[in-house]
Amino acid sequence: MDAFRLLPLAGEPPAERSDAARNREALLRAAAELVDHCSVENVTMDAVAQRAGVGKGTVFRRFESREGLMAALLDHSESEWQASVISGPPPLGPGAPPLERLHAFGRSRIETTLTHAALIRAAGRTGTRAYAAAAFAAMHVRYLLAQLGAHGDLGYLATALLAPFEIPILEQQLVLEQRPVEEVQAGWEDLVRRVVAG
Amino acid sequence: MDAFRLLPLAGEPPAERSDAARNREALLRAAAELVDHCSVENVTMDAVAQRAGVGKGTVFRRFESREGLMAALLDHSESEWQASVISGPPPLGPGAPPLERLHAFGRSRIETTLTHAALIRAAGRTGTRAYAAAAFAAMHVRYLLAQLGAHGDLGYLATALLAPFEIPILEQQLVLEQRPVEEVQAGWEDLVRRVVAG
């Protein structure tokens, strides 16, 4: 729990000093780029410092440890993903028909979850907003089910549609059963079709 | 991993000395009864010893720690549940129509999973057969889907139908959202109906 959240000042967390905030942003961006180019396992404090053009000490002062950096990166990645769902380009963002949006949501959530699984392993914890992240995804799927005219207990159905994106389930399908990710995505789209037709 | 399983003799694990086996069985039965009557949290080594009519030292010699007892109890409970699916009375066991069996499976899996969640917390680990347990459930659901004449990627659909029984999902619904268990069971039965109608 962030102490800022326990003691909000005038409803707002105190702003970081702006150079510190820029610094943090640059480090997270450098780390996110490294995650995209290499695997999470290969992202070191040294590599992040080098890419961001700062000393290694700065990275440690900001995040305390590689685990701390990974937890910050997890929260940062989830926030960016939520922003792209709320206001990014279609079909994930608004503007596409609801079924296309739901399919884009599934494809993108599977990818994001796999990156997040690696970050959670590296962070040794699930970041500060795991419950909020689950609630956001459920709210969005429920909204799209309503848009699609689905009937029934939409809250239950949204949870059930999100359940196959739990990390152990995805790892079971992709790693143990060696299913290609496209097959898992197609399986989910077929599940959505059945639920909506229901 | 049980060393007996790594070194089977003539295709069979060596039998425990029969008094030791009886002893172990009596302790597990006593512990299972206590779990049924009280909550897992209240089941102590002392209480198990007293109920089984042995000294506390015997319980420690057999299971090493409360965590060890809980892990053994978890495996024992999963085995008993699998036996009741394979050869117990209908509708969970054979003899009922496949849709009734699938609904009975859902109701019973939710209950078993909640008990197992408490045992896993108390054991601090998931027992020795977590993957085998997931594979058994998937095989059974897939078999019933085929019996029901469901079309499509039955392997994916079985995994998706089992996903809402993951412990974090059930705890989210029953604890955080405070849904009654009957509502969760009804939600699952409706999901099954949609998947089968596919």
Side-chain angles (χ1 to χ4, degrees):
Chain A
M1 177 61 81
D2 189 332
F4 292 167
R5 286 169 188 270
L6 291 173
L7 294 168
L9 293 171
E12 283 277 302
E16 291 182 275
R17 280 194 3 254
S18 63
D19 56 341
R22 272 196 301 276
N23 205 291
R24 180 187 168 85
E25 187 59 38
L27 289 172
L28 283 174
R29 198 167 49 242
E33 285 163 6
L34 285 171
V35 167
D36 287 345
H37 298 161
C38 321
S39 73
V40 168
E41 286 69 25
N42 292 325
V43 177
T44 62
M45 298 296 259
D46 256 336
V48 171
Q50 204 171 3
R51 190 169 185 100
V54 301
K56 193 172 165 181
T58 306
V59 187
F60 275 98
R61 267 195 305 281
R62 218 55 196 92
F63 300 104
E64 287 183 13
S65 63
R66 182 165 180 272
E67 288 72 26
L69 172 65
M70 295 295 159
L73 202 49
L74 179 64
D75 286 339
H76 184 254
S77 166
E78 177 66 25
S79 298
E80 298 238 301
W81 179 77
Q82 291 184 10
S84 65
V85 170
I86 293 170
S87 58
L92 182 58
L99 189 60
E100 263 184 57
R101 278 194 84 187
L102 195 46
H103 286 174
F105 170 91
R107 283 193 301 277
S108 143
R109 195 60 188 159
I110 290 171
E111 274 165 32
T112 316
T113 303
L114 293 173
T115 304
H116 288 186
L119 288 172
I120 289 169
R121 263 195 301 276
R125 57 182 194 268
T126 56
T128 53
R129 296 192 278 256
Y131 178 65
F136 171 84
M139 201 175 54
H140 184 64
V141 170
R142 190 180 172 148
Y143 162 75
L144 291 176
L145 287 176
Q147 294 260 303
L148 285 162
H151 293 289
D153 183 342
L154 299 191
Y156 184 90
L157 292 172
T159 300
L161 283 176
L162 287 166
F165 299 156
E166 289 289 297
I167 292 169
I169 307 274
L170 285 179
E171 292 190 334
Q172 177 198 317
Q173 294 173 317
L174 297 165
V175 182
L176 289 171
E177 299 174 11
Q178 298 266 313
R179 279 178 178 260
V181 70
E182 295 75 21
E183 205 177 285
V184 172
Q185 289 168 339
W188 193 76
E189 292 180 12
D190 177 51
L191 179 68
V192 164
R193 187 185 56 69
R194 292 170 198 244
V195 163
V196 171
Chain B
M1 178 58 83
D2 189 334
F4 291 168
R5 286 170 186 269
L6 291 173
L7 295 168
L9 293 172
E12 283 277 304
E16 289 180 276
R17 278 196 2 254
S18 62
D19 55 342
R22 271 197 302 275
N23 205 293
R24 180 187 169 84
E25 188 58 39
L27 289 172
L28 283 174
R29 197 167 47 241
E33 285 163 5
L34 284 170
V35 167
D36 287 345
H37 299 160
C38 320
S39 73
V40 168
E41 287 69 25
N42 292 325
V43 177
T44 62
M45 298 296 259
D46 256 335
V48 171
Q50 203 170 3
R51 189 170 184 99
V54 300
K56 193 172 165 180
T58 306
V59 186
F60 275 99
R61 266 194 306 281
R62 215 62 197 82
F63 300 104
E64 287 184 14
S65 63
R66 181 166 181 272
E67 288 71 27
L69 171 65
M70 294 295 158
L73 202 48
L74 179 64
D75 285 341
H76 184 255
S77 165
E78 177 66 25
S79 297
E80 299 238 300
W81 179 78
Q82 291 185 10
S84 65
V85 170
I86 294 171
S87 57
L92 183 58
L99 190 61
E100 263 183 59
R101 279 194 84 185
L102 195 46
H103 287 174
F105 171 90
R107 283 194 301 275
S108 142
R109 195 60 187 159
I110 291 171
E111 274 165 33
T112 316
T113 303
L114 293 172
T115 304
H116 289 185
L119 288 172
I120 289 170
R121 262 196 302 275
R125 58 180 193 269
T126 56
T128 52
R129 295 192 279 256
Y131 179 64
F136 171 84
M139 202 175 54
H140 184 65
V141 170
R142 190 179 172 148
Y143 162 76
L144 291 176
L145 287 176
Q147 294 260 304
L148 284 161
H151 293 288
D153 183 342
L154 299 192
Y156 184 90
L157 293 172
T159 300
L161 283 176
L162 287 166
F165 299 157
E166 289 289 297
I167 291 170
I169 308 274
L170 285 179
E171 292 190 334
Q172 178 198 316
Q173 294 172 317
L174 296 165
V175 182
L176 289 170
E177 299 173 11
Q178 298 267 310
R179 280 178 178 259
V181 69
E182 295 75 21
E183 205 176 286
V184 172
Q185 290 168 338
W188 193 75
E189 292 180 11
D190 178 52
L191 179 68
V192 164
R193 188 185 56 69
R194 293 170 197 244
V195 163
V196 171

